[in-house]
Every structure is written in C-alpha cells, then in structure tokens.
Amino acid sequence: MEIIILPTAVEVGRMAAAKIASVVSRKPSAVIGLATGSSPQDIYADLARRVQGGEISFAQARGFALDEYVGIPLEHPESYASVIARDVVGPLGFDPARVRVPDGRAADLEFAAKEYDAAIRAAGGIDVQILGIGANGHIGFNEPTSSFASRTRIKTLAPATRAANARFFDSVEEVPMHCMTQGLGTILEARELVLVAQGEGKATAVAGAVEGPVSSFVPGSALQLHEHATVIVDEAAAAQLQLADYYRHVFANKPAWQRFDATPAR
Ligand code: GLP
C-alpha cells in the first residue's frame, strides 16, 4: 500500500485526480468506480478542470457508483443517482448511458444487487476505484463486520453513518435506513484503489485501515489485501499514523519511474 500525506485537502484531491487522470489518459475507455460523499469532491473538481483544459476526456469511459440508498426517490437531490449526475457525470462529461448507480428502488433488490456485480464484470471490471472512508472505518456502505468476501447487496446503515449523513438531509430521520453497496469483495476486484480522507475526524479510521490489523471491524483495512492501493490523506487525517514519517520519507524518495504527474491543471 502506498500512503501519501499532503498538507491540505485540496492537494489530496489534486493528487488523487492526477492518478485517475493517468489511468484515463492511458485507457480512454477505462471503467471508473465512483464514490459519493464529501471526500472525493476535490477530486472531481480537479478532474473537471482537466477536462475543461482538454487534458483528458471521460467521453469513452464508463462509471459504476459504489452505493445508493434504498427507497429514496430517484429525483431526490441526495439520491446518489442525483449526486453522481450532478457532481460527476455533468462536470466530467461522462456519457450518462455509460454510468450506473445501484438501483435502490428495484422491486427485487436482491436481483438488482447481483445484476450490478454482473454488470461490473461484463464491463471488464473496474480499472480504478475511488474511495472515501467513514469515521467508523466503512468503505462504500460496508459497515463494520462486513465480510471481506461480500458482493453488492443490501445493508442496514449504522446509526453513526445515518447521523454523519444527516447533514445532507433535513433531519436524521430522513436518512434512509438501508442501502445497496458494492461489497468488500467487489471493491477488492478493482485493479487499483485510491482512498482519500481529510480532517481529524477520519484519523482513527485511517490509522485502522492502514496500520491496524486486517479486520472486518474496520472495513477499510481490506485495502491491505489489495496489490495496488493508494491512500492519500491530509495532515489532520494522518495524525494517528504511527509510521507517518516513514510514509513521507518513501514519498520524498520515490524513484522517478514510479512518479506520475500531479501538476495542477491550469
Ligand atoms: C458515505 C458514503 C461512502 C463515503 C463515506 C464517507 O456515507 N457512502 O462512500 O466514502 O460515507 O463519507 P464522506 O466522504 O462524506 O465523509
């Protein structure tokens, strides 16, 4: 696992965006795993600037969202279908027909979840998966004790997650109780994982994911099982990393051939 610690949240977004941009530059038809929430917003903002500058294009790319609430109307501004359309598909210039979000409104949710995994496989698998992490260590909506073998399925949100996401709704009661999320097994099949975290509220989760024992108690620790995972965090989110100085040392001494261009788009 590579751990990159940067001074600010904006630099975290820029660095992660550079990684995504390098994948899409190499493979314009790349399949991108799309996270929602606050964490990836700076990534999408930087990618949108790169698209506007003509550096990259998502016109041929495909996208699969990580998760969706169950039972939320499609047109609700906080359905992940709405969020992905507003924050990702539009600004990055994806073809809307090539981007999918789990169907939290399906009559047969179990079938819809299985079909979603099958659609990811049929698309050739995810080339690079963008991830945030919840304060309780969840990735996607895989709450603590989710199986590392889990596939896309229905989960019950932890009270802490509903409370954290209440900021997007008028009250915590309005946050749906259930969700459909890619499983940890699904996420681990992506060819590359890029997890970003910002702020001191994520410091415990980041330390657990990066340095803690591999345990379903901290779903983010599943990244330790992946051969190509990068964790990009700001100083506040890095505050509880025991080997922070070592990660800085490694990054400062990265061989030239391993570097990628994180130059901010103009
Ligand atoms: C949310 C999402 C996750 C996200 C995580 C952290 O509820 N389902 O995909 O990574 O929890 O959220 P945020 O980035 O808003 O802190």
PDB file of all heavy atoms in Angstrom, residues 4-19:
ATOM      1  N   ILE A   4       0.248   8.505   1.006  1.00  0.00           N
ATOM      2  CA  ILE A   4       0.749   9.832   0.650  1.00  0.00           C
ATOM      3  C   ILE A   4       0.098  10.846   1.585  1.00  0.00           C
ATOM      4  O   ILE A   4      -1.133  10.931   1.662  1.00  0.00           O
ATOM      5  CB  ILE A   4       0.433  10.170  -0.823  1.00  0.00           C
ATOM      6  CG1 ILE A   4       1.040   9.109  -1.756  1.00  0.00           C
ATOM      7  CG2 ILE A   4       0.954  11.557  -1.180  1.00  0.00           C
ATOM      8  CD1 ILE A   4       0.708   9.292  -3.239  1.00  0.00           C
ATOM      9  N   ILE A   5       0.935  11.587   2.300  1.00  0.00           N
ATOM     10  CA  ILE A   5       0.436  12.596   3.245  1.00  0.00           C
ATOM     11  C   ILE A   5       0.732  13.975   2.662  1.00  0.00           C
ATOM     12  O   ILE A   5       1.886  14.284   2.327  1.00  0.00           O
ATOM     13  CB  ILE A   5       1.118  12.446   4.622  1.00  0.00           C
ATOM     14  CG1 ILE A   5       0.882  11.029   5.171  1.00  0.00           C
ATOM     15  CG2 ILE A   5       0.590  13.502   5.599  1.00  0.00           C
ATOM     16  CD1 ILE A   5       1.696  10.702   6.412  1.00  0.00           C
ATOM     17  N   LEU A   6      -0.294  14.789   2.529  1.00  0.00           N
ATOM     18  CA  LEU A   6      -0.143  16.109   1.924  1.00  0.00           C
ATOM     19  C   LEU A   6      -0.684  17.174   2.881  1.00  0.00           C
ATOM     20  O   LEU A   6      -1.545  16.875   3.720  1.00  0.00           O
ATOM     21  CB  LEU A   6      -0.891  16.154   0.583  1.00  0.00           C
ATOM     22  CG  LEU A   6      -0.346  15.169  -0.472  1.00  0.00           C
ATOM     23  CD1 LEU A   6      -1.293  15.063  -1.659  1.00  0.00           C
ATOM     24  CD2 LEU A   6       1.044  15.580  -0.934  1.00  0.00           C
ATOM     25  N   PRO A   7      -0.205  18.415   2.750  1.00  0.00           N
ATOM     26  CA  PRO A   7      -0.600  19.431   3.732  1.00  0.00           C
ATOM     27  C   PRO A   7      -2.089  19.743   3.770  1.00  0.00           C
ATOM     28  O   PRO A   7      -2.651  19.955   4.834  1.00  0.00           O
ATOM     29  CB  PRO A   7       0.209  20.663   3.301  1.00  0.00           C
ATOM     30  CG  PRO A   7       1.355  20.124   2.514  1.00  0.00           C
ATOM     31  CD  PRO A   7       0.851  18.881   1.837  1.00  0.00           C
ATOM     32  N   THR A   8      -2.738  19.791   2.623  1.00  0.00           N
ATOM     33  CA  THR A   8      -4.129  20.265   2.616  1.00  0.00           C
ATOM     34  C   THR A   8      -5.053  19.323   1.845  1.00  0.00           C
ATOM     35  O   THR A   8      -4.613  18.526   1.009  1.00  0.00           O
ATOM     36  CB  THR A   8      -4.234  21.646   1.943  1.00  0.00           C
ATOM     37  OG1 THR A   8      -3.885  21.496   0.551  1.00  0.00           O
ATOM     38  CG2 THR A   8      -3.309  22.663   2.589  1.00  0.00           C
ATOM     39  N   ALA A   9      -6.347  19.501   2.117  1.00  0.00           N
ATOM     40  CA  ALA A   9      -7.365  18.696   1.444  1.00  0.00           C
ATOM     41  C   ALA A   9      -7.358  18.946  -0.067  1.00  0.00           C
ATOM     42  O   ALA A   9      -7.565  18.022  -0.860  1.00  0.00           O
ATOM     43  CB  ALA A   9      -8.739  19.016   2.031  1.00  0.00           C
ATOM     44  N   VAL A  10      -7.108  20.174  -0.466  1.00  0.00           N
ATOM     45  CA  VAL A  10      -7.100  20.485  -1.903  1.00  0.00           C
ATOM     46  C   VAL A  10      -5.978  19.718  -2.604  1.00  0.00           C
ATOM     47  O   VAL A  10      -6.171  19.163  -3.693  1.00  0.00           O
ATOM     48  CB  VAL A  10      -6.947  22.014  -2.131  1.00  0.00           C
ATOM     49  CG1 VAL A  10      -6.669  22.326  -3.595  1.00  0.00           C
ATOM     50  CG2 VAL A  10      -8.205  22.733  -1.666  1.00  0.00           C
ATOM     51  N   GLU A  11      -4.822  19.626  -1.939  1.00  0.00           N
ATOM     52  CA  GLU A  11      -3.707  18.870  -2.529  1.00  0.00           C
ATOM     53  C   GLU A  11      -4.007  17.370  -2.588  1.00  0.00           C
ATOM     54  O   GLU A  11      -3.574  16.676  -3.510  1.00  0.00           O
ATOM     55  CB  GLU A  11      -2.424  19.136  -1.736  1.00  0.00           C
ATOM     56  CG  GLU A  11      -1.852  20.515  -2.033  1.00  0.00           C
ATOM     57  CD  GLU A  11      -0.891  20.988  -0.957  1.00  0.00           C
ATOM     58  OE1 GLU A  11      -1.366  21.493   0.087  1.00  0.00           O
ATOM     59  OE2 GLU A  11       0.312  20.850  -1.156  1.00  0.00           O
ATOM     60  N   VAL A  12      -4.768  16.899  -1.598  1.00  0.00           N
ATOM     61  CA  VAL A  12      -5.195  15.490  -1.622  1.00  0.00           C
ATOM     62  C   VAL A  12      -6.029  15.241  -2.874  1.00  0.00           C
ATOM     63  O   VAL A  12      -5.815  14.279  -3.626  1.00  0.00           O
ATOM     64  CB  VAL A  12      -6.006  15.145  -0.339  1.00  0.00           C
ATOM     65  CG1 VAL A  12      -6.697  13.788  -0.481  1.00  0.00           C
ATOM     66  CG2 VAL A  12      -5.094  15.158   0.876  1.00  0.00           C
ATOM     67  N   GLY A  13      -6.992  16.134  -3.121  1.00  0.00           N
ATOM     68  CA  GLY A  13      -7.859  15.993  -4.291  1.00  0.00           C
ATOM     69  C   GLY A  13      -7.073  16.043  -5.588  1.00  0.00           C
ATOM     70  O   GLY A  13      -7.303  15.256  -6.514  1.00  0.00           O
ATOM     71  N   ARG A  14      -6.104  16.948  -5.627  1.00  0.00           N
ATOM     72  CA  ARG A  14      -5.302  17.128  -6.844  1.00  0.00           C
ATOM     73  C   ARG A  14      -4.451  15.890  -7.129  1.00  0.00           C
ATOM     74  O   ARG A  14      -4.334  15.432  -8.264  1.00  0.00           O
ATOM     75  CB  ARG A  14      -4.409  18.352  -6.630  1.00  0.00           C
ATOM     76  CG  ARG A  14      -3.790  18.917  -7.859  1.00  0.00           C
ATOM     77  CD  ARG A  14      -2.972  20.134  -7.488  1.00  0.00           C
ATOM     78  NE  ARG A  14      -3.786  21.287  -7.174  1.00  0.00           N
ATOM     79  CZ  ARG A  14      -3.381  22.318  -6.420  1.00  0.00           C
ATOM     80  NH1 ARG A  14      -2.173  22.313  -5.894  1.00  0.00           N
ATOM     81  NH2 ARG A  14      -4.180  23.327  -6.210  1.00  0.00           N
ATOM     82  N   MET A  15      -3.866  15.342  -6.079  1.00  0.00           N
ATOM     83  CA  MET A  15      -3.013  14.154  -6.245  1.00  0.00           C
ATOM     84  C   MET A  15      -3.842  12.946  -6.688  1.00  0.00           C
ATOM     85  O   MET A  15      -3.451  12.195  -7.590  1.00  0.00           O
ATOM     86  CB  MET A  15      -2.294  13.856  -4.925  1.00  0.00           C
ATOM     87  CG  MET A  15      -1.384  12.657  -4.933  1.00  0.00           C
ATOM     88  SD  MET A  15       0.061  12.852  -5.985  1.00  0.00           S
ATOM     89  CE  MET A  15       1.060  13.952  -4.971  1.00  0.00           C
ATOM     90  N   ALA A  16      -4.997  12.769  -6.050  1.00  0.00           N
ATOM     91  CA  ALA A  16      -5.858  11.643  -6.423  1.00  0.00           C
ATOM     92  C   ALA A  16      -6.367  11.837  -7.855  1.00  0.00           C
ATOM     93  O   ALA A  16      -6.429  10.873  -8.635  1.00  0.00           O
ATOM     94  CB  ALA A  16      -7.024  11.529  -5.447  1.00  0.00           C
ATOM     95  N   ALA A  17      -6.699  13.068  -8.203  1.00  0.00           N
ATOM     96  CA  ALA A  17      -7.181  13.353  -9.561  1.00  0.00           C
ATOM     97  C   ALA A  17      -6.092  13.022 -10.582  1.00  0.00           C
ATOM     98  O   ALA A  17      -6.380  12.500 -11.669  1.00  0.00           O
ATOM     99  CB  ALA A  17      -7.594  14.820  -9.679  1.00  0.00           C
ATOM    100  N   ALA A  18      -4.835  13.317 -10.227  1.00  0.00           N
ATOM    101  CA  ALA A  18      -3.728  13.016 -11.143  1.00  0.00           C
ATOM    102  C   ALA A  18      -3.647  11.516 -11.401  1.00  0.00           C
ATOM    103  O   ALA A  18      -3.356  11.069 -12.521  1.00  0.00           O
ATOM    104  CB  ALA A  18      -2.414  13.536 -10.566  1.00  0.00           C
ATOM    105  N   LYS A  19      -3.901  10.729 -10.362  1.00  0.00           N
ATOM    106  CA  LYS A  19      -3.873   9.262 -10.530  1.00  0.00           C
ATOM    107  C   LYS A  19      -4.993   8.812 -11.461  1.00  0.00           C
ATOM    108  O   LYS A  19      -4.779   7.997 -12.356  1.00  0.00           O
ATOM    109  CB  LYS A  19      -4.043   8.564  -9.167  1.00  0.00           C
ATOM    110  CG  LYS A  19      -2.751   8.415  -8.414  1.00  0.00           C
ATOM    111  CD  LYS A  19      -2.850   7.263  -7.420  1.00  0.00           C
ATOM    112  CE  LYS A  19      -1.529   6.591  -7.165  1.00  0.00           C
ATOM    113  NZ  LYS A  19      -1.051   5.714  -8.205  1.00  0.00           N
TER     114      LYS A  19
END
